Structure formats: structure tokens, C-alpha cells
Amino acid sequence: MHEALNTQTMTDQAVALAGLLRQARRAVVFTGAGISTESGIPDFRSPGGIWTRMMPIDFADYVADPAARKESWRRRFEMEETWTSVKPNEGHIAVAELMRRGIVGHVITQNIDALHQAAGVPANQMIELHGNTSYAKCLDCERRMEIADIRAHFEAYDDAPACPNCGGIIKTATISFGQAMPEGEMERAEAAVAACDLCLVAGSSLQVYPAASFPLKAKRKGAALVILNREATPQDPYADLVIHDEIGPVLSSAVKHL
Ligand code: NAD
Ligand code: ZN
């Protein structure tokens, strides 16, 4: 009986979400680590998440301390199997479907896993605020380098290579705590949010700024705000609809009720 009650609530919420989506023509979906947990990638702040096991390495430490860089690469190589084998889940697939139907114009993500693109979101409608871990870049000249080549060097010399172009420090193409946000992606996100009629947050604790400022900006410009997250977020009081449930089942049910 308890289960039936939960199912009923979930369907009601998915129907309410579908109702808002049906009225939207240029919605923005704003995602965080929570949309990828159903693919098997742990998030930061859930119990047992990455945060509780490993302190992230700040940008300043990465630049200043060779030992921090080594530790960062060691962690990255440890994750290689995960990053290359992981698949989009029904949440990513529902978002891509909303885009195909012309309801969603852009996806803004804090994730570095490229799973939205793997589900079919075109690159020109994708905004990656915290970069992408599938390759690396020189911090000075931005020359692209492949993870496999860096790994081979690391295994031979117990260190990552310097940039072959300028001698600069190589880092995965992700944004660490303390690192400047990518200007182009920030501008694209500002434009998408200014033009959107609905902002759907899925799987973000909305605690990491400046990324977390985008949903509130959308709301201030007159867009409807929906927050779909397992636990409460600081922006729940400003939302038109709050759903505290699992992302994959709710989003795929909402697509079915469109
Ligand atoms: P976060 O860990 O702070 O928050 C994730 C939220 O998602 C939590 O509030 C959690 O309750 C919720 N959640 C988890 N699984 C869910 C599910 N199946 N259904 C509904 N809700 C669920 O993540 P954040 O807000 O993205 O911020 C953390 C930072 O860490 C980001 O900047 C991101 O770049 C990075 N990160 C990325 C990945 C990835 O690329 N997949 C993974 C971990 C961390
Ligand atoms: Zn360089």
C-alpha cells in the first residue's frame, strides 16, 4: 500500500512536470552530478559520494605543487575504466528526447562526463560549465593532449609530460575549485538562460557557484523554475515545482505524459 502511494505521487509529479514542459518552447535543462548517478558515477555530496572519500584538489595546489598534480593524475587514471565504459541512463535519454521535440533549447551541465552528448544532445546545444574529462589541455597555450598519451608518459617517467608546445603544465580539460570559469561557456549559458521560458534543474545540490546562479537568473527573467532532486536544495523556495525523487524514472515518465 505504501508503495502504491509512492507510485501515485511520482506519476502526479511527472504529470505536473509534463504540463509545464508542454508550454515550453526554449527550456533550459540544468544538470549536476545527480543525473549521472544512475549511470554508476558517484556524485559529490550524497552519503558515500566522492566528497566524503577524497578531498578535491584546488587549482592553486595543482599549479603550485608537483605532488598534487601527480595525485590528481593518479585519480584520473584510476577513473579511466569508468569514464570510457559509462553509458547514458534514462534521465539523459529523456533530456535528449525533450530536445528532439523542440521543448528544450540548451542543456547546461556541471558534469564532466559527456553523457548528455552520448545520449544525443548536439554539441551546439550543450554547455559544459566545468569542462570535460575526456581529454587534457595545456594551462598556458591550451594545446589539446590525449589522456592515453599522458598516461603512457606517466607510466614510463612517473610524471605527466610538460606541454610539448610551450613547456606549460598539462591538466584535464575540467574546471577545478579555484580555477577561472570558461568565458565562452559562461556567455553561452547567460544567453540561454536569458532567453529560456523554463529552467529544469536535475540532480544538482545548487551549492557550487557561479554555476548555481543560473537557475535563479532564469526565474528572475520570468521563466518557470522546476527542481528535480532527491534532496532539498537552497533554491527550492523559489521554484514553481519541486520534485524530490529519482531523476530517471520521473523524467522518462514526464516524457510519456507530454
Ligand atoms: P552534487 O554532488 O553537489 O549534488 C548532486 C545532487 O544530486 C545531490 O543533491 C543528490 O541528492 C542528487 N542526486 C543524486 N542522485 C540522484 C538521483 N538519481 N535522482 C535525483 N537526485 C539525485 O553535484 P553538483 O551539484 O553537480 O556539484 C558537484 C560538482 O562536482 C560539479 O561541479 C561537477 O562538476 C562535479 N562532479 C561531476 C560528476 C560527473 O561529471 N558525473 C560527478 C561528480 C562530481
Ligand atoms: Zn602549452
Side-chain angles (χ1 to χ4, degrees), residues 47-172:
I50 298 173
W51 193 261
T52 55
R53 288 185 286 120
M54 270 195 261
M55 277 299 285
I57 294 165
D58 280 358
F59 185 65
D61 291 337
Y62 188 92
V63 172
D65 181 2
R69 289 201 285 280
K70 275 196 193 181
E71 171 61 11
S72 174
W73 283 113
R74 201 190 52 71
R75 291 181 189 179
R76 174 62 185 79
F77 300 143
E78 206 175 272
M79 285 292 284
E80 179 67 3
E81 180 68 29
T82 305
W83 293 130
T84 50
S85 63
V86 75
K87 298 270 185 302
N89 63 58
E90 57 179 346
H92 298 105
I93 291 164
V95 170
E97 176 61 21
L98 289 171
M99 191 164 262
R100 261 192 301 276
R101 293 194 190 199
I103 291 171
V104 170
H106 286 90
V107 176
I108 303 177
T109 192
Q110 304 175 82
N111 295 344
I112 57 172
D113 55 31
L115 286 178
H116 286 296
Q117 295 93 313
V121 173
N124 65 343
Q125 287 168 284
M126 191 66 227
I127 301 168
E128 291 177 307
L129 291 179
H130 294 163
N132 185 313
T133 195
S134 63
Y135 64 99
K137 275 199 299 199
C138 169
L139 289 176
D140 292 328
C141 74
E142 302 210 328
R143 179 191 168 122
R144 178 183 167 129
M145 292 186 70
E146 303 310 318
I147 302 293
D149 297 335
I150 297 166
R151 189 175 197 173
H153 189 284
F154 198 95
E155 278 162 10
Y157 302 102
D158 191 33
D159 209 351
C163 172
N165 203 25
C166 75
I169 294 174
I170 307 291
K171 182 177 174 292
T172 55

